[in-house]
Amino acid sequence: VEPAALDRALEPSLVDGLAERSGQERSSVLDGLSVLLPRLVNLAAPDGKAESARLPDASQLLGALGGLLGKRA
């Protein structure tokens, strides 16, 4: 996933919030998400099929992303 595509697809406040919490520039957050999101999707749906029992809660997912991005700083 290209960072520019994520920038268009995600709410600006989401990306800005992750940037603020992680202490990174917005572009760095988008770069990180472009690597992390495909990996998370593969974990949630390894065979291309998402099972509702395996899907994380959205707030947990965003919290995990914030933590992962914070560790990259």
Side-chain angles (χ1 to χ4, degrees):
V1 178
E2 293 296 320
L6 287 174
D7 195 24
R8 290 188 302 273
L10 297 174
E11 271 302 311
S13 61
L14 174 73
V15 178
D16 293 339
L18 288 171
E20 184 177 320
R21 282 182 272 166
S22 68
Q24 296 186 51
E25 295 292 325
R26 194 171 198 285
S27 61
S28 295
V29 169
L30 290 167
D31 288 342
L33 288 174
S34 73
V35 173
L36 292 172
L37 287 178
R39 291 180 184 173
L40 291 172
V41 169
N42 286 338
L43 287 173
D47 297 320
K49 296 179 183 176
E51 298 176 22
S52 60
R54 295 181 69 176
L55 296 176
D57 176 83
S59 62
Q60 291 173 327
L61 182 59
L62 292 175
L65 284 173
L68 289 170
L69 290 169
K71 291 178 185 176
R72 291 173 42 106

